[in-house]
Amino acid sequence: MAVREGIGDKSGEAAEYRHLGLISCKRGEYDKALEYFKKALGIYMKIGEREGLLASYSDLGFCFQSQSKYDMAEEYLKQALLLSRDIGNNLKEFQCLCHLSVLKASQCNLEKAILHLFPAIQKFDNLRGFLQENDQFQISFLEEHGTFPYKFLSWLLSSTGKSQDALYVEELTRARGLADLMAARYSVQEQISSDPQSWCGIQGIITKEAECACLYISVGQNDVRFWIIKATGAIQFLEKKVNLDQNKVTGIVPELDEFFKEAFRSQAILPEENCEDRSLDDTELTSLPYDNRSVLRDYDAKDFKTSLDLCSKIIIAPVASLLKQPEIIIVPDSCVYQVPFTALADEAGKYLSETCRIRIVPSLTTLKLVQDSPPDYHSQTGALIVGDPVVGEVIYEGRRRNITALPCARKEAEMIGRLLGVTPLIGYSATKLSVLQTINSVSLIHIAAHGNAERGEIALSPKHPFPLSPLPREGDYLLTMADISKTRLRAKLVVLSCCHSARGHIRTEGVIGIARAFLGAGARSVLAARWALDDTATEQFMTCFYRHLFRGESVSESLHKARKWMRNNGFDKVSQWAPFMIMGDNVKFDFGNWPVPSVP
């Protein structure tokens, strides 16, 4: 500070006062913070620095709000809002509107809070539009700036009796980037926007689905909101407050969304006695990509059962009487993607998947995009079958790794190949190059291989080097989200018979992983695994699944019957029959036009 004063750096001096004020706010010393902020404001006004002036108005508004001096807070925030508009600072305008909405909610004036949030999300949508060509920037922008206002507006609307408007606001955050990718692939316009005039017809998406109901879930810190959309177009809304117990280890009561994120992490790697699994992160000389391998390895069947029971009480019990249709389409909040809905049970202990088929969609908008895709877009014949790629010794995450073989994955691919009359890519022939050369043209893609625990990315066979060549690196053999995003898929169904293929980074946008990449690249439906797979059990599961699919049954029905067969034939552990989920459309195949042998 003294140096800046000495050299006459007024802008720097004001910035230092701002920083001191922010530090004081963090420490709860609001009177001292106000002194610093007012000094900064005075300097910015004197030198005419409008961006600094804008920041100071916002600082003072926030500080007065923290002291519950709402009139003063509103005065400064409104000055900040007017100035942000005058100088064209769109992001700051958006933030000022959000602050004003919180201020009004603090005064229990929910209607005025809503009036500030509507223009806020419209401004956010405009800002997001500038990033339309970059999926990663959109995801990051939503995560950093958009999570709170959309969640808050949805909660305010449902709290004031506008539950259907709240549903549309939820849609504005669900898989929004994915919807953009799909719309670009199908050359159609995305129809929902932040303009309330576009908020119509959402219930019509479910009326196009046969014998279905939709369960739409939104999770807050201590509550869950549900929308049940029937095939008739009727929408029912209900809310459940949830009080969790203290964590036995930390003594802290977790927030509900954090509970859902952590509840099934123990399923990421199978117990030690099942070490022959399809996890890329469980191969020789391998450590997990994050620092909690001990937590993941400490699989506790009792804790897992407790988590299942608690999730059943929170998610299923409140809506069970409203879900009587043969198929349930679930639109989960991002934090509950790893919840195995098929393994949730009612009070009598009967699994939800025993009474109905279950399908996951990232959002209703993405389902509509699939429904409206051009009839000739997806291929009707042809299959790419990949099993047990020989990866061998490679460099993985900076270390030498020996990726082990998967004998049952090889048998699985051979079985599907015989059934469909297709020669599978197995062993050394299952190279990344061969897969990418074929993947664009076929109707069905099946990959049985090792998967990465973080994003579900898949280990294929590299182009094997000569004896003295350097070891293959990840770009030579790992099928990544970036690789898939560059393709233009025509597949009706992608089956990822790999560990963790439904996993990814949990963001407001959804789960960012390999399954999302396949949907965004044009796949109509993706079958993926939430956790690590037992090689033997998965081979049996896929044998049953494809037997039904080959007979002309839908993917949802085939999955439903495969689960039932597994439970009744010695594979009754949840980890064996419940890892797979179907995302997207409920497709069928007409294998009569394929050169295939008769049904076995």
Side-chain angles (χ1 to χ4, degrees):
M1 182 72 75
V3 173
R4 294 190 185 280
E5 290 175 348
I7 62 175
D9 180 5
K10 290 296 183 181
S11 179
E13 184 182 342
E16 294 292 350
Y17 279 125
R18 272 203 70 220
H19 293 152
L20 289 169
L22 292 170
I23 292 169
S24 298
C25 269
K26 288 283 187 183
R27 297 171 64 177
E29 299 170 349
Y30 297 116
D31 289 334
K32 186 181 291 186
L34 285 172
E35 290 180 22
Y36 289 130
F37 288 146
K38 286 178 179 178
K39 287 181 179 180
L41 177 66
I43 295 173
Y44 283 131
M45 290 183 74
K46 189 172 182 178
I47 65 176
E49 189 172 314
R50 301 180 82 195
E51 287 288 352
L53 193 59
L54 172 57
S56 294
Y57 282 143
S58 298
D59 293 337
L60 284 162
F62 180 78
C63 194
F64 277 121
Q65 184 177 339
S66 299
Q67 292 182 304
S68 300
K69 296 178 180 178
Y70 298 125
D71 290 340
M72 292 295 293
E74 185 173 3
E75 179 183 332
Y76 279 107
L77 288 173
K78 283 186 173 179
Q79 288 188 67
L81 178 62
L82 290 172
L83 184 55
S84 67
R85 287 172 174 166
D86 190 40
I87 65 179
N89 189 326
N90 291 318
L91 181 58
K92 202 66 180 180
E93 181 183 348
F94 160 74
Q95 291 171 338
C96 287
L97 288 165
C98 291
H99 285 314
L100 283 166
S101 71
V102 173
L103 176 66
K104 289 302 176 185
S106 300
Q107 296 173 290
C108 297
N109 193 335
L110 302 188
E111 293 293 345
K112 280 199 173 180
I114 291 170
L115 288 177
H116 286 301
L117 276 175
F118 270 119
I121 66 167
Q122 289 178 342
K123 182 61 66 175
F124 182 87
D125 234 24
N126 292 337
L127 289 166
R128 181 182 173 279
F130 294 125
L131 308 173
Q132 194 162 12
E133 299 301 317
N134 193 309
D135 184 48
Q136 288 303 314
F137 282 175
Q138 284 190 349
I139 292 168
S140 299
F141 188 63
L142 176 63
E143 195 69 22
E144 184 174 353
H145 299 291
T147 303
F148 167 75
Y150 283 101
K151 280 282 189 184
F152 190 36
L153 179 55
S154 175
W155 179 82
L156 286 172
L157 288 168
S158 59
S159 298
T160 53
K162 303 179 182 72
S163 60
Q164 190 159 322
D165 284 349
L167 177 58
Y168 281 100
V169 174
E170 290 286 332
E171 269 294 287
L172 289 171
T173 60
R174 303 289 177 94
R176 197 65 190 284
L178 175 59
D180 286 341
L181 294 173
M182 294 172 68
R185 286 293 187 270
Y186 298 146
S187 300
V188 298
Q189 288 290 323
E190 190 186 346
Q191 296 183 3
I192 189 171
S193 74
S194 58
D195 181 3
Q197 297 299 316
S198 70
W199 297 357
C200 60
I202 198 168
Q203 60 268 44
I205 300 170
I206 299 302
T207 61
K208 294 181 181 180
E209 300 290 321
E211 299 181 313
C212 282
C214 174
L215 175 61
Y216 204 109
I217 304 170
S218 179
V219 178
Q221 293 182 356
N222 58 6
D223 70 306
V224 185
R225 290 175 294 144
F226 305 94
W227 291 262
I228 297 91
I229 309 172
K230 300 294 183 68
T232 60
I235 301 178
Q236 294 174 270
F237 172 79
L238 60 100
E239 182 177 11
K240 178 180 175 60
K241 297 291 183 182
V242 179
N243 295 311
L244 296 174
D245 294 331
Q246 287 184 345
N247 183 291
K248 294 178 182 178
V249 177
T250 65
I252 298 172
V253 177
E255 293 181 354
L256 191 55
D257 54 348
E258 288 302 317
F259 161 74
F260 282 127
K261 288 176 186 177
E262 298 296 325
F264 300 101
R265 288 183 68 87
S266 65
Q267 287 296 93
I269 300 295
L270 293 178
E272 291 286 357
E273 62 266 22
N274 294 320
C275 58
E276 181 74 20
D277 70 39
R278 299 187 184 184
S279 170
L280 180 58
D281 300 88
D282 200 37
T283 55
E284 296 177 23
L285 302 176
T286 300
S287 61
L288 285 170
Y290 26 76
D291 297 326
N292 57 351
R293 183 181 178 93
S294 61
V295 175
L296 292 174
R297 268 294 178 196
D298 189 19
Y299 171 75
D300 190 312
K302 185 178 179 181
D303 285 348
F304 181 68
K305 178 67 165 57
T306 300
S307 293
L308 280 177
D309 291 343
L310 186 53
C311 286
S312 296
K313 291 177 182 177
I314 295 172
I315 297 174
I316 299 302
V319 296
S321 62
L322 303 173
L323 300 175
K324 299 300 183 182
Q325 287 71 20
E327 183 166 0
I328 307 301
I329 296 174
I330 299 176
V331 186
D333 210 336
S334 58
C335 64
V336 296
Y337 262 89
Q338 293 306 316
V339 174
F341 292 98
T342 55
L344 301 186
D346 60 21
E347 293 179 352
K350 194 169 188 178
Y351 292 119
L352 181 64
S353 57
E354 291 184 73
T355 58
C356 62
R357 304 183 299 273
I358 298 173
R359 184 161 36 117
I360 305 295
V361 296
S363 69
L364 291 175
T365 304
T366 56
L367 179 59
K368 181 170 174 37
L369 286 166
V370 169
Q371 291 174 344
D372 295 345
S373 61
D376 58 349
Y377 181 87
H378 293 94
S379 300
Q380 299 303 311
T381 61
L384 168 64
I385 311 300
V386 180
D388 187 26
V390 173
V391 186
E393 194 170 13
V394 295
I395 300 297
Y396 176 62
E397 296 189 339
R399 296 177 60 192
R400 294 169 68 103
R401 312 291 170 92
N402 185 31
I403 311 300
T404 55
L406 294 168
C408 290
R410 178 179 293 250
K411 293 177 185 177
E412 180 182 309
E414 290 170 342
M415 175 276 297
I416 298 167
R418 287 192 301 271
L419 190 66
L420 304 183
V422 174
T423 301
L425 297 178
I426 289 175
Y428 289 104
S429 67
T431 64
K432 179 176 176 178
L433 179 61
S434 298
V435 168
L436 289 174
Q437 285 176 336
T438 310
I439 205 168
N440 288 330
S441 60
V442 296
S443 182
L444 190 154
I445 298 167
H446 181 101
I447 305 177
H450 284 291
N452 169 273
E454 191 175 4
R455 298 174 303 278
E457 296 174 326
I458 299 164
L460 298 173
S461 184
K463 184 178 180 181
H464 281 273
F466 296 107
L468 297 180
S469 300
L471 288 177
R473 295 189 172 271
E474 291 177 16
D476 300 317
Y477 65 90
L478 198 63
L479 186 66
T480 66
M481 293 186 291
D483 293 323
I484 297 302
S485 68
K486 295 172 186 174
T487 65
R488 198 172 189 88
L489 299 183
R490 305 285 176 170
K492 291 170 64 177
L493 175 64
V494 175
V495 178
L496 300 177
S497 187
C498 315
C499 289
H500 322 293
S501 51
R503 295 180 76 86
H505 297 296
I506 297 175
R507 300 288 184 265
T508 303
E509 157 79 14
V511 175
I512 313 302
I514 197 76
R516 176 185 184 270
F518 274 100
L519 286 171
R524 198 174 182 97
S525 186
V526 176
L527 183 67
R530 289 184 175 89
W531 52 62
L533 299 176
D534 177 285
D535 200 29
T536 303
T538 303
E539 181 204 356
Q540 294 297 314
F541 187 97
M542 287 299 169
T543 299
C544 184
F545 170 77
Y546 273 98
R547 187 178 296 121
H548 289 286
L549 193 69
F550 185 81
R551 291 171 182 165
E553 297 175 43
S554 72
V555 63
S556 182
E557 182 66 22
S558 300
L559 185 61
H560 178 70
K561 289 182 176 178
R563 288 173 179 144
K564 181 179 179 180
W565 184 90
M566 293 287 284
R567 287 194 298 265
N568 295 336
N569 286 273
F571 298 96
D572 55 351
K573 293 180 181 178
V574 169
S575 62
Q576 295 173 320
W577 64 263
F580 286 101
M581 66 177 184
I582 190 71
M583 300 174 65
D585 197 19
N586 188 18
V587 299
K588 290 183 180 181
F589 288 88
D590 180 8
F591 290 112
N593 295 323
W594 293 34
V596 295
S598 59
V599 182

